[in-house]
Amino acid sequence: MGVARPSQVPRRWFRHVIPLAIFMLLLFYLCARSLREWSHLLWEESRSLGPKTGFLPLTALPCLSPGALSGCGSKAQSCIHEGLLPLQIQQQSGTLPALEREDPQCLGPQGMLSRMMRPFSASLNPEGDVELSQYLVGWRELIRFLTPFGSIFAFATREAFAKVTDLEIRVYGPDAAHYTSLAGMVAWERRAGLLERPGIAPQDSAKSSGSRTMLLLHRALRWSQLCLHRVATGSLGGPDAGEQCSDAYNTALAPHHHWLVRQAARLAFLSFPGRGRLLELACPGAREAEARAALAQAAGTLEDVYNRTQVLLAERGLLQLA
């Protein structure tokens, strides 16, 4: 009497059910992730409508204007017609209530942007020079401002912190009389034979001249200024904030970095916060248009300092220092 062969049906069913189960788990994960992002989007949109409006119901669309068809409302951003800057939007909206014309908290006396802008503006003296003490205070505030923005900013601010500290030792050290301004510092270091030769980096970076340290901070300031400006003025249908700040890095800093540093920066930009999150960190509690305008104003202050410093360094032949 023969032994019955085990049925092949369970084995065949088992072979098909494993891929199906994996597919269902993947589908569940994607749905949960989309729901989380959608909930965050609704929360961001409800905050931009003001405290009296409250949260939008989950079934409500955050933006029903025609701009939504072209990507308006993605990544927790409110609907602003593409190509318009915040100030242009306010001008088209007519007369604003008195409350809306007030500066947001970030531009108030104790606001983060205001604390950064004041010393940088004060560093531009009437004689056309840059006061180093005020410049370094501005950098301290800029580092404090940028640190919460993410890993790429944390990397940049660590480098800047070391350079700021190095210059502060000179500004407040025994030779402080020679380090009151950028022009004065360069003139004294040139007379004292402390300047490096163009294109040749010192073997020990800790022994860099103050002028070379200033040049390195100057390049980092350019990247910060470009990045903040593009976050503030970028259109909703254009590149995202990470792509724009990565492009700013390629313009201002990448040509002066080694290959490994450039690759590390490229990876760090993959986790760059979205524009909405950056605006919230830059100007907490403000509406998007207000945060954009405030950040653009801060970027303008950094640009003024950068332009003044660029002219001074170029006139003294220091832009080619390694």
Side-chain angles (χ1 to χ4, degrees), residues 21-35:
I22 295 175
F23 172 77
M24 293 300 294
L25 288 173
L26 179 61
L27 183 62
F28 176 78
Y29 167 75
L30 293 176
C31 290
R33 180 178 176 182
S34 299
L35 181 60

Side-chain angles (χ1 to χ4, degrees), residues 264-287:
R266 183 178 64 84
L267 292 176
F269 277 115
L270 297 178
S271 61
F272 200 79
R275 193 185 311 276
R277 178 59 177 162
L278 289 173
L279 291 172
E280 182 182 359
L281 288 170
C283 202
R287 296 175 181 174

Side-chain angles (χ1 to χ4, degrees), residues 107-121:
L107 290 179
Q110 300 302 319
M112 291 186 295
L113 290 178
S114 181
R115 291 201 308 267
M116 176 188 72
M117 294 162 60
R118 281 197 303 269
F120 270 128
S121 296

Side-chain angles (χ1 to χ4, degrees), residues 123-134:
S123 71
L124 304 178
N125 66 23
E127 291 75 27
D129 206 346
V130 175
E131 299 290 339
L132 292 182
S133 59
Q134 290 295 323

